Each structure stands twice: as structure tokens, then as C-alpha cells.
Amino acid sequence: MAHTVRTYTVLPSIPERLKALQTLAYNLWWCWNADAVALFSKIAPKQFEELDHSPVRLGYAIDQARLEELEHDASFLAHLDRVEAAMGHYLNAKTWFQESHPTEKALKIAYFSMEFGIHESVPVYSGGLGVLAGDHLKSASDLGLPLVGVSMMYREGYFRQYLNADGWQQERYPENDFFSLPLIAELNPDETPILVSVTLPGRDVFLKIWRIQVGRVPLYLLDANIPQNRPEDRGITAQLYGGDQNMRMQQEIVLGIGGMRALRALGKEPTVCHMNEGHAAFSSLERVRQLIEDQKIDFATASEAVKAGTVFTTHTPVPAGNDVFPPAMMDQYFADYYRQLGLDRRAFFNLGRQHLDDEAEPFGMTVLAIKMSNSSNGVSKLHGTVSRKMWNAIWPTLASVEVPITSITNGVHTQSWLAPEMGQLFERYLHVEWQAKPTDHAIWTKIDPVPDSELWRTHEKCRTRLIAFARARLKMQLLRRGAPPSEVAAAEEVLDPEALTIGFARRFATYKRGDLVFRDAARLAAIVNNAQRPVQFVFAGKAHPKDQGGKELIARVVQNARIPEFRKHVVFIEDYDMNVARHMVHGVDVWLNNPRRPLEASGTSGMKIAVNGGLNLSILDGWWVEGCTNDNGWAIGGGEEYADLKYQDEVESRLLYELIERDIAPAFYNRGADGLPREWIRRMKRAISTLVPEFNTNRMVEEYLTRCYLPAHTREAKLTVEQLKPAHELADWRKRVGGAWSDIRVETVEAPTGQTLWVGKEFPVKVRVTLGAIRPEEVDVQLYYGLVDNRGEIGDPKTASLQATSAVDANRSVIFTGSVPCRASGQFGFSVRVLPKHPNLPNSVEPGLVTWG
């Protein structure tokens, strides 16, 4: 029988004296403050562990009698007061941003990401991209940046993993109970939820806005699972990276377009938008649409203003990892929308195409993001190089080295990934400075005088805790799988708390080669069973549900772990999440990373172990190219790239075994009379002092601020004064100059070609250029020069601008002259080129107009 269900909420009755617990639980600042974590754990340690360390869920689950007991526990109350005071001080203290940039009152940054990994108790993340985004918010909070996050509130989040008897990954999607998450609904003055909508083919989809407070930073999450929507539309925010291409399109419309509309509804309109990966690229189009609607201007003017205030970060070093949509799907979803932008189909599609007017090319989200941004960056120096080559077709007249994509190397939020024991050690010897100034190299050099014995014993405690955790999880996995009692009992004996422990945990994609260490099983068996120098491995990781190759990798690792020779020395921990990651980065001695170079854009897991004294053993890919100094970890190979992948696996697995046998195990087990591995500890200290101050998100966010956010904010402000008059003038100039550019020709070049010059002399050049309708001050005539490589190309070009020295003659020609000092000897080459010049361009190569001599 049909009937109406009316809902009501029952909340725990928290005594007045404990009310601060609720305040703390609803600000995720607690999750990177060890004292706050300890406070919640003290309430009910076992329950806290079982409830994914969620203070909110613990609040619902805790017995009322226990709350009343805590109300009269002097020790607990003192602890509560201390943590409450610490959070109050944190939220109200003057911030780094206020002290460093006191005049930047108008800056407002919105950071869009498909996922945010802040803590395991808020499961709206899948892996590295989300955890990086979460760490970005935490550091933005620590530094006091005026930043908000924008994402989606997934009903099921990312899948939970379990393995069947064959080691094959299975997925389950438990629903998030929104009432047991630290979510705050954004409400209108009349207490009704604030709703925004996006248009999908034939209907509108409405979105509720939730907020999670991350220290000083709000994270806004959009939710389609509300009564106003059709059942199929309520599923748009069900799963992260779930469904087909239509679902991906709908989610990206919700994130980008819905996200911008949510910020407007909240009165939080940004001056700078940061798109973390191409998923959020539609946000730039919505900003343009809003500006057109508000100011009654054309697309060209509005897009100049929006591009000025937009920052884009790409994370994917392979074309297949970048979202593209077929033209027919774009027509289905955007035919009405691009008309609202004042664009025809051709102009709209060219925004997402590398090859203009190629009707067969799909619409690329990364291409759209690059074209609509003031600055674009990869996430390590090597990834910057890879990205410039990948997207060179957007600027076909440029060498890849000049493509305007830079790099800002990723980092990790130090306090979030630090073991509590190691944190106490730092407080004793580095004092509180390391928390306030994690980027200060001088502070981290203070690790050198720390007694070796204290550092080693602290690390050993963390390893022991990891082993206990791994055994407990393995036992739980076996019981769930219905394993025989003898196998369950044997789980108590896997791994040795004193043995050299190597960790491998990440997304299981084929290029990451999770099973490389098993390539020569007999050799590995000899390594792990060495009586004097045993070695053990802890694995964890998920494969994307549709990645069969990744699932096969997991199955191979699990099946190998069950072979008698490996059973006690290799463990695979199921359901990799931030909790498993924390235990592993706290406790392993060595972090193994063996992707195929250059497919690891950055990688951040190896950065997390450094602060805990762990050492990296990695291919020279991603961040490790910059981090490795050879005395702070080990490199597998010398940064080679291979065409023959089987040969690569053979060579690099052999190198991996040799490093473990000849360098790593001997350094770990070579002990002095006091039982300390002095050489190993020396490397631990080098890893802490060289890597921690560099590869943290405070450094990263400061770099984004100075290199991306502030320049974008300044340029956006410059273009939007006087009802966007400068933006309008720039758009008109771009159209006029672009239309006349084909008339430009370099007629003659006079220079001492073939001559021998001497260091200290100058290289003079005289160039005649026909400009047509373009004025001399609108061009930059450059000498493009540098050392010539063995292919006859200029590998590392430098440029020098030439000056107009004569008026325009009857043929519209102008003489440009200049000279370059000869500062070094060698075989040099040069070319002459003409670029457009305008004071309001982000850079001279961005328009893609280049005429070579």
C-alpha cells in the first residue's frame, strides 16, 4: 500500500561541557592535528577505528552513558579544552597570506576538482588526484589563502575493494549516510536549501549545496540526489568516475557549470578559477556566459576577461587519459548553450580542438582548459616537458620547448602524513617552527643533530605498528573470504617487525607495473628468505573497475603472495584508502615506485614517506627526477626510456634486484655495536632534510599563488575596469591583427652568417619586415638563437627583441636592428621571427601567430 514517509532526525544529546566536540568534529582541521585525533580516539578507541576515524559517526554511535562519564573526566576535559583552544588560535591567528600580501584584499580563488581526499571518513575521492586536491585545501588553509573548493557530494563515492579467492578485485558501493558526515547544508534566509540548476537535454537538473569546512577553507559539494530531480538524474552524483560517457559529460557539466552557479548563489564569485584537471573546464564557459548576460557584451570580450582570471593544471601524461567527447554528443548537450555564448557551432567546437575545423576531431576538455586559461602547468618538471610536446599542436608554429605550459611540482601536506611519534620527535628537536614554516630548509637541517638512536627507535615503533595493522587486516580478509582456520591462524605470523620492509601502494594501472618485482620469482624468493638479511613487501592498491589489465596485476600480486616461499614475506592489504596509506607511509623502510617513464606525471606517495624517515626506491620519473640526490634514496636506472617494453621490464627488474641485494639490504642490516644501522640513518636524515621542505603543499600553494593566482588576478582586474573596456580593446585588437597577420613577411636578413666571432663580441642583425596593415609597435621582431645540436636544431633557444629603426616606407616595410652579445663559445644558429605584441597579452606566443624568416 502506498504511503507517505515523513522523516525526522535524532541527534545525540551532548552534555553542555562537551559541546566543543561537535564544533571540532565539523571542521576537518582536527584530522591533521595529532592532539585532536588523539582526543577523539580517547572517547572509544575501538569504535573510532571501526568507524573510519569519523568523529561525527562516533558521536551518533557512542553510548549516552559514556558521554556522561566523559563529562566528569578531568583528564579528558583538560585535553578537550587544549584542543579547542588550539583550533581557536589556528582559525583566528594572523596568516602567512595576510602578512605577505596585505594589500591583496580583492583576491578570491575557486579551486575546482572532481574529487577531494581530505580524510578517509569523507569518502569522496579515489586516489592521487583527490588526495593532492585535499592537501591543496589544507595548505591553503594553513597559509590563509582566500580560497574555496568546489566538487560533488557522491552518494556512493568511490568503490570499496575486496578480493575473491582467486585474488580478483570485486567492488561494492556502500551509500554514504549524509547525516553521519561533517556536512553543513547551505540555506536561504528562510532555512530552505539553496538550489541551483543546470540544463541537460530536455530538462533541468537541480543541485543542493553542501559545505565541508577544512580549517579556514570551505569546500562546496553539489548534490543531485534530491526530490526535485528524476530518478536517473539523482544518480549523476552517485559514483565518482562511474557510468558511461554520458554520465561523465553530465558530471562535468554539474562540476563546471553547476559549480560556478553555486558560487554565484552563495555570493562567493571568484576573481581567479583554478581548474584541477580538464574535468572542470566547463566552468570557464559558464563564467563567460554569466559575464555576457551581466554586462551585455560579446563572447570575444568576455572570454578575454575570463581567460585572464583562470588557471589550469593538467595531471595526465598520455592522450588517452584526457576526456574527449564526440561531436554528436557535444551537439546534444551544448547546442542551446553555445548560442547563449553568441557562438556558432564551428567557433564553439574550435575551443576544444587542437586542429581547427577538423570535423572528425572530438571535443577535448584539456584543450578547452588550456585555451581558456591565463596559465597552464604540469605537475613536475618532466611532466611539463611531456605536456608541452603533447599539446604542441595547439601552437603548430612553435617548437615544443616554447609551448606556454609550465610546471609546478606537486607536494604533500606534511602534518597530514606524519606519524604521531615522528611529530613528537620533531617537536623535541625542531621545536614548533617546522609546523609554521614547513618550507624552511634551515629548520629541517636540524634533523642532523638528532641522536641516531632516537630517530631509529621512533621509526621502529612505526614499523611495528604497520606490521600489527597488516596482520589484523590480513586476518580480517581471510575470515571474510571463508579461509580455513589454519590459514587465518598463520596470518598472525606474517611479516617480521624487525625485517627490512618495502611498500608498494598506488592505483593499479598497467604502466605502474605493480608486479615487476615478481618477474624473477626464484631470485625474489632468495631475497625475501635470506636468513641474515630478510626482506618483506606490503602491497595495496585499487584498479579502476573497468581496467582489466590493472585487475590482472592485482591478481598476480595476490597469487604470488600465496606461494609458500612468499607467504610470510608478502602481504596485499585490501581496500586501499587514506587510512591504509597512512599506516604504510608511517611504517615502511623503503617505498617502491617502478612506472614506465615518462608516464608518472608526478606521484606523491613517495613524498609522504620522506617526512617519516622512509627512503624511496624509484624509477627516475615524475617528482623523483627532482628529488633524488643518490644519498637520500635510490634510483632504478638513469632515466632511460624504452621502445621495447619487455626488454625494459627485464632490464629494470634486474636493476631492482641488484639494488636490494647489493645496496639496500646491506645498508639496512649493517649494524654497529649499538645495533644501529648508521649508514641507513644517515640516508634517513638526508631524505628528511632535502625532501620535506621542498615537496610539500605549502611550497606548492605558495608557488601557485605567486606564479599563477596573483598574475591571473592582476590581469583579470586590469582587463575588467571601466565596464571591461580593456578586454574589449584586446578582443578587437586580436581580431584585427589576426586578420591581417598573413600579410607579414620577413624580406631580408643581414647578419654575419658563417663568420667566426669571438666571446665578448656582439652579433649584429638587420632585418627588413613587411607589416601590411599592422603597426611596428604591434609586433615583436625577435632573433631566435642558441647552440645547434647534432640534428642542426636549436635545442635550448634564447630570444632577443630587435628595434624598429626606420619609418614605414611605401611598401609597408620597416627595418629592425639589434645585436646579441657572444657570451660563450660553440656552434650557434639563429632564425628571425615576428610575433604579435600587446601590453595586455599574457605572453607573445599565446595567440599562436608566428611568422618565421
Side-chain angles (χ1 to χ4, degrees):
M1 173 174 109
H3 58 276
T4 302
V5 176
R6 299 188 181 195
T7 61
Y8 59 95
T9 305
V10 180
L11 297 171
S13 180
I14 297 176
E16 193 62 37
R17 183 66 179 86
L18 301 179
K19 277 287 194 307
L21 284 172
Q22 208 156 15
T23 307
L24 291 165
Y26 276 80
N27 188 323
L28 268 76
W29 166 87
W30 71 263
C31 78
W32 71 89
N33 181 284
D35 205 23
V37 176
L39 174 74
F40 287 117
S41 182
K42 199 181 275 186
I43 295 170
K46 191 167 182 293
Q47 272 182 297
F48 190 55
E49 184 73 35
E50 289 167 354
L51 296 170
D52 291 324
H53 306 105
S54 168
V56 179
R57 287 173 69 190
L58 184 67
Y60 281 98
I62 198 70
D63 189 82
Q64 195 67 36
R66 176 59 178 150
L67 286 173
E68 287 163 12
E69 189 183 317
L70 291 170
E71 189 185 12
H72 300 98
D73 182 333
S75 168
F76 182 82
L77 295 175
H79 193 165
L80 172 60
D81 292 344
R82 184 171 73 241
V83 172
E84 184 188 17
M87 188 170 88
H89 175 74
Y90 175 88
L91 295 176
N92 297 311
K94 194 167 186 181
T95 68
W96 171 87
F97 178 77
Q98 288 168 331
E99 290 178 345
S100 304
H101 302 277
T103 60
E104 296 294 349
K105 308 285 189 199
L107 175 65
K108 292 176 186 168
I109 308 153
Y111 181 85
F112 286 74
S113 183
M114 199 77 156
E115 49 171 310
F116 281 89
I118 300 161
H119 187 256
E120 63 268 18
S121 64
V122 187
V124 291
Y125 66 96
S126 75
L129 179 75
V131 173
L132 174 84
D135 282 6
H136 193 113
L137 293 196
K138 291 171 184 175
S139 279
S141 171
D142 289 345
L143 295 166
L145 263 65
L147 182 143
V148 303
V150 182
S151 192
M152 287 186 280
M153 187 56 228
Y154 302 100
R155 191 170 72 245
E156 297 169 6
Y158 203 52
F159 70 91
R160 303 299 294 261
Q161 176 200 57
Y162 65 99
L163 305 179
N164 68 13
D166 295 326
W168 195 257
Q169 174 179 290
Q170 309 291 302
E171 297 95 23
R172 60 187 180 88
Y173 290 89
E175 286 211 11
N176 282 322
D177 176 7
F178 284 22
F179 289 104
S180 63
L181 289 167
L183 294 170
I184 302 155
E186 290 292 338
L187 305 175
N188 290 303
D190 63 359
E191 300 291 298
T192 57
I194 295 174
L195 299 182
V196 294
S197 67
V198 294
T199 301
L200 298 182
R203 79 274 190 197
D204 286 340
V205 172
F206 293 90
L207 305 163
K208 183 176 178 177
I209 307 166
W210 298 95
R211 171 167 56 89
I212 289 178
Q213 198 63 36
V214 185
R216 301 179 175 102
V217 169
L219 168 59
Y220 297 109
L221 302 165
L222 302 169
D223 175 17
N225 185 28
I226 54 176
Q228 289 85 345
N229 292 327
R230 304 190 320 195
E232 61 269 33
D233 290 336
R234 293 175 69 161
I236 292 172
T237 55
Q239 291 179 9
L240 173 58
Y241 305 135
D244 58 10
Q245 201 172 29
N246 268 295
M247 178 58 75
R248 178 60 67 90
M249 168 72 87
Q250 291 168 14
Q251 288 190 332
E252 296 188 359
I253 288 171
V254 165
L255 175 64
I257 297 175
M260 281 307 306
R261 291 178 183 177
L263 292 176
R264 170 163 280 204
L266 293 165
K268 301 276 183 185
E269 288 181 82
T271 61
V272 175
C273 279
H274 184 173
M275 303 181 293
N276 189 42
E277 197 53 291
H279 310 130
F282 292 141
S283 63
S284 60
L285 296 183
E286 177 60 14
R287 285 180 86 193
V288 171
R289 192 201 63 78
Q290 289 178 356
L291 208 49
I292 290 171
E293 186 177 81
D294 294 346
Q295 301 289 336
K296 308 293 183 272
I297 53 177
D298 61 358
F299 177 85
T301 302
S303 66
E304 290 292 354
V306 167
K307 279 193 285 189
T310 306
V311 173
F312 170 57
T313 298
T314 175
H315 294 261
T316 314
V318 287
N322 294 270
D323 286 344
V324 294
F325 296 110
M329 186 180 282
M330 292 302 297
D331 281 328
Q332 182 189 359
Y333 282 92
F334 280 91
D336 287 339
Y337 193 89
Y338 64 65
R339 282 192 278 271
Q340 292 175 44
L341 297 173
L343 295 177
D344 59 22
R345 185 179 184 275
R346 173 183 167 274
F348 178 73
F349 273 77
N350 279 342
L351 291 172
R353 284 177 172 157
Q354 297 188 70
H355 306 92
L356 300 185
D357 302 325
D358 177 356
E359 282 296 314
E361 184 178 339
F363 190 95
M365 295 298 282
T366 301
V367 177
L368 173 64
I370 290 171
K371 288 186 176 182
M372 293 300 294
S373 291
N374 191 57
S375 64
S376 301
N377 68 279
V379 288
S380 69
K381 286 178 183 173
L382 178 60
H383 182 229
T385 302
V386 170
S387 299
R388 285 188 285 277
K389 290 176 182 171
M390 257 179 79
W391 304 110
N392 203 159
I394 299 173
W395 294 273
T397 52
L398 296 179
S400 66
V401 70
E402 285 200 296
V403 167
I405 299 175
T406 182
S407 66
I408 293 177
T409 303
N410 283 343
V412 297
H413 186 253
T414 304
Q415 279 181 268
S416 290
W417 299 103
L418 179 66
E421 298 90 338
M422 199 62 76
Q424 289 161 11
L425 184 80
F426 290 165
E427 278 171 29
R428 277 203 302 280
Y429 291 97
L430 279 58
H431 309 299
V432 293
E433 290 176 307
W434 68 271
Q435 291 184 33
K437 299 176 182 175
T439 60
D440 188 336
H441 285 257
I443 289 169
W444 294 101
T445 58
K446 292 179 183 175
I447 197 72
D448 290 337
V450 172
D452 286 359
S453 57
E454 278 197 65
L455 180 60
W456 184 244
R457 301 297 172 232
T458 301
H459 175 65
E460 285 194 310
K461 278 184 205 167
C462 297
R463 190 193 316 117
T464 301
R465 197 172 66 241
L466 166 64
I467 303 308
F469 174 77
R471 287 173 175 172
R473 287 294 283 260
L474 180 61
K475 191 173 178 181
M476 195 168 68
Q477 290 164 203
L478 293 168
L479 284 168
R480 184 195 48 72
R481 210 179 293 146
S486 58
E487 196 177 344
V488 176
E492 297 284 1
E493 296 174 14
V494 301
L495 306 179
D496 176 352
E498 296 185 359
L500 170 59
T501 305
I502 299 177
F504 182 100
R506 53 190 37 85
R507 179 166 60 91
F508 266 72
T510 49
Y511 78 86
K512 293 178 186 272
R513 298 187 293 177
D515 64 341
L516 185 68
V517 75
F518 295 103
R519 187 172 175 85
D520 185 339
R523 190 166 179 183
L524 181 63
I527 290 171
V528 300
N529 289 292
N530 185 314
Q532 279 73 45
R533 296 172 175 171
V535 179
Q536 57 198 13
F537 291 83
V538 180
F539 286 86
K542 295 176 175 180
H544 187 280
K546 293 177 184 168
D547 182 1
Q548 296 306 304
K551 289 183 174 184
E552 285 167 13
L553 276 180
I554 290 173
R556 283 202 291 274
V557 171
V558 173
Q559 286 157 13
N560 275 305
R562 294 176 185 166
I563 295 170
E565 301 94 283
F566 297 135
R567 191 182 289 274
K568 284 190 174 183
H569 310 286
V570 179
V571 169
F572 186 96
I573 299 176
E574 292 178 16
D575 203 24
Y576 184 48
D577 66 359
M578 291 177 77
N579 181 38
V580 174
R582 248 194 329 270
H583 277 89
M584 289 184 67
V585 301
H586 289 175
V588 299
D589 301 295
V590 173
W591 195 258
L592 175 61
N593 186 34
N594 43 234
R596 296 192 194 281
R597 177 183 160 122
L599 300 183
E600 188 80 272
S602 176
T604 54
S605 55
M607 301 173 186
K608 294 167 186 144
I609 69 148
V611 71
N612 294 294
L615 302 176
N616 278 274
L617 167 61
S618 177
I619 297 288
L620 284 169
D621 197 9
W623 79 282
W624 192 232
V625 179
E626 300 163 52
C628 182
T629 58
N630 294 317
D631 60 353
N632 63 358
W634 294 272
I636 303 168
E640 300 85 0
E641 293 173 25
Y642 296 80
D644 184 335
L645 302 185
K646 281 189 175 175
Y647 176 65
Q648 179 181 12
D649 291 350
E650 178 61 37
V651 169
E652 293 181 340
S653 62
R654 210 164 50 235
L655 286 170
L656 174 54
Y657 298 134
E658 286 169 8
L659 278 166
I660 294 171
E661 291 165 338
R662 297 181 185 178
D663 287 57
I664 297 170
F668 184 86
Y669 287 106
N670 187 9
R671 309 288 169 99
D674 53 7
L676 297 175
R678 298 285 180 182
E679 166 61 18
W680 191 273
I681 295 167
R682 189 181 67 77
R683 281 182 178 266
M684 287 173 70
K685 289 182 174 180
R686 280 291 292 159
I688 291 169
S689 64
T690 58
L691 301 177
V692 178
E694 194 60 35
F695 297 97
N696 71 71
T697 40
N698 277 44
R699 185 273 310 154
M700 181 189 85
V701 170
E702 285 180 29
E703 212 171 324
Y704 273 112
L705 179 73
T706 54
R707 291 179 54 195
C708 302
Y709 299 158
L710 288 175
H713 172 67
T714 302
R715 189 161 171 260
E716 191 263 358
K718 189 176 178 183
L719 291 184
T720 53
V721 295
E722 298 179 57
Q723 281 78 49
L724 287 92
K725 185 181 173 186
H728 182 65
E729 288 172 352
L730 179 59
D732 283 353
W733 175 88
R734 200 187 284 265
K735 184 178 178 183
R736 177 175 61 78
V737 168
W741 194 260
S742 58
D743 295 337
I744 290 182
R745 289 189 310 280
V746 177
E747 304 286 1
T748 60
V749 178
E750 296 176 29
T753 311
Q755 282 184 225
T756 299
L757 300 169
W758 307 98
V759 172
K761 299 291 184 184
E762 290 198 331
F763 179 81
V765 183
K766 182 178 178 183
V767 181
R768 179 182 289 274
V769 182
T770 296
L771 293 176
I774 297 173
R775 297 190 293 271
E777 63 271 20
E778 294 177 319
V779 296
D780 185 12
V781 179
Q782 292 181 344
L783 194 66
Y784 178 93
Y785 69 100
L787 282 166
V788 175
D789 61 24
N790 53 17
R791 294 168 301 175
E793 295 176 3
I794 299 169
D796 183 19
K798 295 181 173 51
T799 60
S801 294
L802 306 179
Q803 301 301 313
T805 57
S806 72
V808 178
D809 64 17
N811 298 319
R812 308 294 298 168
S813 293
V814 182
I815 302 293
F816 290 83
T817 61
S819 62
V820 176
C822 300
R823 293 199 174 97
S825 55
Q827 183 72 46
F828 284 79
F830 79 96
S831 291
V832 172
R833 67 179 182 181
V834 186
L835 297 165
K837 185 166 73 174
H838 190 284
N840 285 337
L841 279 178
N843 55 69
S844 57
V845 299
E846 179 263 342
L849 301 172
V850 186
T851 297
W852 290 90

